[in-house]
Amino acid sequence: MDLSRPRIAIIGGGPGGYEAALVAAQLGAGVTLVDRDGLGGACVLTDCVPSKTLIETASTMTVLAASADLGIRVGGARPGRRHDDGSGDVEPGPAQAGIRVTGPAAGNPGPAVADATRLYGRIKNLARAQSVDVAARVAAEGVEVISGTGRLSGPRTVRAGGREIAADAVLIAVGAHPRVLPGAVPDGERILNWRQLYDLSEIPPELVVVGSGVTGAEFASAYQALGSQVTLVSSRERVLPHEDIDAAVVIEDVFRRRGMTVLGRSRAASVRRQGDRVVVTLTDGRVVRGSHCLLTVGMEPSVDGIGCEDAGVKLDERGFVTVDRVSRTSAPGVYAAGDCTGVLMLASVAAMQGRIAMWHALGEAVHPIRMSHVAATIFTDPEIATVGVTHTAVESGEVAARTVKLPLAGNPRAKMGAIRDGFIKLYARPETSVVLGGVVVAPHASELILPVSMAVEQRMTVDQLAQTFTVYPSLSGSLTEAARKLMSFDS
Ligand SMILES: Cc1cc2nc3c(=O)[nH]c(=O)nc-3n(C[C@H](O)[C@H](O)[C@H](O)COP(=O)(O)OP(=O)(O)OC[C@H]3O[C@@H](n4cnc5c(N)ncnc54)[C@H](O)[C@@H]3O)c2cc1C
């Protein structure tokens, strides 16, 4: 061991842990990373990557279902095209994404059906391959990886793989796991958390989704597109209760129009099996039945048994590790990043917290994390992407802002693509016209939010955004048009 190099020990190999390891190695530290389930963490293996892969197939199904509007008659399956370079390689066609294209046969709900075995197989393969890629990246930077469980055995020591690893700084990045309701324990067959979906052998014919936050809304949207009859049980008045209200209204309307049953103000008291069926009993006594039930009722930090108390690391009242804006815990030399801190459960935030921790620990100049600049997307169909100030902050008067909301239906590119649902919303500071944030509800909103994100980060004015060239025709044209409308308030 080179004792002249600073030593970093990291517990947890998700985005919080592995991104930190890459930064620390780049800065010349000797890094040991302990992970028990596979590099990439739950993000890559069970949560973000698998769900987004499923949603990719679901989105293709939605496009296929709407193909008649675009003047397409689907007449039969076309396999992936074979390259004519003699390689025998096949370009991906719908089949590779787990979609079987069918003719307009009687009794068939749409032009395509999801092939569950292929779809789930693809998702698991892709997740494993992504984990292998992360492992290769980390290895290439000279990070030592220990496969196993790690725990803090003192303020700056980690026990793992039968060793005691002394470090100048330790990072806890152990993530979180699905919360279990006492009356609704997953059995992995019919009563499921999202990590168990990919072992199913079928697309659930009748899926009851309990919980209408981001995860519940994303899976409800995806499975409805994949052919399930979905019932969404929401304890609040509307779906996505913590998100932009205008966006939530659009999504709930789309859900209902596509045939989903949305039960507002309905709290699940218990979920139990009845043979091959599930019975969800609501607190008001109503009963909802289905073939499967997916529980999306939140996350709990995976900090049990990792030795926080031995190291003097404080937890908050919900059990999450308390951190400041440069990822320091209450114990000197111990940092924490990602879902175990409960700050904002996003891979991008976990990664940034991890990097900031390492820059700070290794003496680099560092900006504290700015949560108001985090761009996020809810991958429903259409997607909801947000950055900066929120509707609630503006409505309550906490933040003074001028607002413009532009429906997408008037956008020429949207008309060409038969896109009817969605809007662009921008917020700007009244006196200075600086862009404070925005909301995009559109197909691929996750890609369209970047200009707004850059405007917020760089403190651009609506004038600067409005004077930026966009392509004609494009959905992003509505972004600059919204900025122009905010300019016109100036006179
Ligand atoms: C369904 C779903 C979809 C999501 N989609 C998105 C999305 O689209 N975009 C986005 O930004 N975020 C998304 N997220 C959130 C994202 O997955 C998390 O924010 C991210 O995984 C957090 O990273 P992390 O490093 O904190 O933890 P994790 O990714 O959970 O990794 C933690 C790692 O630590 C390991 N570990 C735990 N305890 C120990 C121990 N004692 N010793 C050794 N190793 C240990 C675990 O095995 C795991 O490998 C989604 C979440 C869910 C549930």
Side-chain angles (χ1 to χ4, degrees):
M1 195 194 334
D2 178 357
L3 293 174
S4 63
R5 297 165 79 196
R7 299 276 330 153
I8 300 289
I10 299 172
I11 311 177
Y18 82 76
E19 287 288 347
L22 292 173
V23 164
Q26 184 193 29
L27 291 173
V31 186
T32 303
L33 175 60
V34 187
D35 187 86
R36 67 177 177 207
D37 292 317
L39 290 192
C43 173
V44 166
L45 289 164
T46 55
D47 294 356
C48 177
V49 169
S51 70
K52 299 302 102 79
T53 312
L54 179 98
I55 287 167
E56 203 59 44
T57 295
S59 303
T60 307
M61 294 282 284
T62 306
V63 171
L64 286 169
S67 57
D69 287 354
L70 301 177
I72 299 169
R73 193 157 18 94
V74 180
R78 235 198 22 199
R81 259 188 321 195
R82 197 163 286 281
H83 284 292
D84 52 16
D85 59 3
S87 64
D89 290 346
V90 174
E91 269 181 34
Q96 274 72 14
I99 297 173
R100 212 153 9 93
V101 182
T102 65
N108 181 13
V113 286
D115 178 337
T117 309
R118 247 184 137 138
L119 171 60
Y120 295 138
R122 172 173 191 263
I123 290 169
K124 288 194 274 193
N125 286 341
L126 199 137
R128 275 192 292 266
Q130 180 74 6
S131 175
V132 169
D133 281 356
V134 174
R137 260 177 77 197
V138 163
E141 296 300 326
V143 172
E144 179 195 25
V145 176
I146 298 178
S147 294
T149 299
R151 86 184 293 281
L152 289 159
S153 47
R156 292 179 204 239
T157 39
V158 168
R159 183 169 302 141
R163 284 166 51 194
E164 200 80 32
I165 302 142
D168 298 291
V170 173
L171 177 73
I172 307 168
V174 290
H177 55 270
R179 187 161 79 93
V180 179
L181 294 177
V185 180
D187 64 4
E189 289 179 0
R190 300 264 159 192
I191 304 172
L192 307 151
N193 65 39
W194 59 85
R195 294 181 178 174
Q196 297 165 330
L197 287 169
Y198 313 107
D199 290 323
L200 291 178
S201 56
E202 61 178 332
I203 302 297
E206 296 163 61
L207 180 65
V208 184
V209 178
V210 173
S212 68
V214 174
T215 303
E218 287 188 351
F219 280 112
S221 175
Y223 273 101
Q224 183 76 27
L226 289 168
S228 302
Q229 178 55 56
V230 174
T231 302
L232 181 56
V233 178
S234 170
S235 61
R236 304 297 186 86
E237 200 163 329
R238 59 180 166 85
V239 301
L240 295 168
H242 305 296
E243 307 302 326
D244 182 271
I245 184 162
D246 295 325
V249 166
V250 170
I251 291 302
E252 188 162 332
D253 180 48
V254 170
F255 281 0
R256 289 184 195 277
R257 277 193 346 248
R258 290 186 183 160
M260 192 187 297
T261 304
V262 181
L263 301 176
R265 290 202 189 141
S266 303
R267 195 175 283 276
S270 70
V271 183
R272 56 193 169 77
R273 280 281 289 267
Q274 205 170 61
D276 280 352
R277 308 279 295 162
V278 291
V279 180
V280 180
T281 306
L282 307 182
T283 46
D284 61 9
R286 281 177 298 158
V287 164
V288 184
R289 292 172 207 278
S291 62
H292 296 76
C293 176
L294 171 63
L295 295 155
T296 62
V297 289
M299 305 275 279
E300 287 175 347
S302 301
V303 292
D304 282 356
I306 65 158
C308 285
E309 49 303 331
D310 298 337
V313 173
K314 282 201 186 119
L315 307 180
D316 68 17
E317 64 288 352
R318 299 171 305 151
F320 290 93
V321 180
T322 307
V323 285
D324 64 11
R325 289 174 60 213
V326 289
S327 310
R328 281 179 298 196
T329 70
S330 54
V334 182
Y335 295 76
D339 284 3
C340 67
T341 68
V343 169
L344 186 55
M345 291 193 176
L346 287 174
S348 51
V349 172
M352 189 56 83
Q353 284 180 300
R355 292 185 203 110
I356 287 176
M358 294 300 103
W359 286 321
H360 189 272
L362 296 167
E364 294 294 307
V366 61
H367 285 295
I369 195 160
R370 280 183 291 207
M371 300 312 295
S372 60
H373 289 204
V374 174
T377 296
I378 302 164
F379 289 83
T380 42
D381 181 57
E383 295 177 0
I384 303 172
T386 53
V387 67
V389 297
T390 61
H391 176 90
T392 316
V394 174
E395 279 292 291
S396 67
E398 185 193 324
V399 176
R402 288 191 336 223
T403 310
V404 69
K405 187 178 135 201
L406 214 59
L408 271 192
N411 177 293
R413 184 72 181 270
K415 288 178 194 163
M416 293 165 199
I419 298 165
R420 295 179 194 97
D421 299 298
F423 62 82
I424 305 267
K425 184 153 61 169
L426 281 184
Y427 297 111
R429 196 173 285 290
E431 316 82 45
T432 59
S433 289
V434 166
V435 177
L436 292 175
V439 181
V440 179
V441 180
H444 303 293
S446 48
E447 308 289 349
L448 288 170
I449 197 72
L450 181 66
V452 189
S453 213
M454 287 172 74
V456 170
E457 186 65 37
Q458 301 303 323
R459 300 183 53 75
M460 284 165 65
T461 62
V462 289
D463 305 49
Q464 287 171 311
L465 194 54
Q467 286 159 9
T468 306
F469 265 105
T470 52
V471 167
Y472 180 87
S474 66
L475 296 186
S476 50
S478 286
L479 276 173
T480 48
E481 193 186 335
R484 277 198 300 281
K485 284 199 182 289
L486 277 174
M487 273 174 88
S488 65
F489 285 99
D490 287 346
S491 56

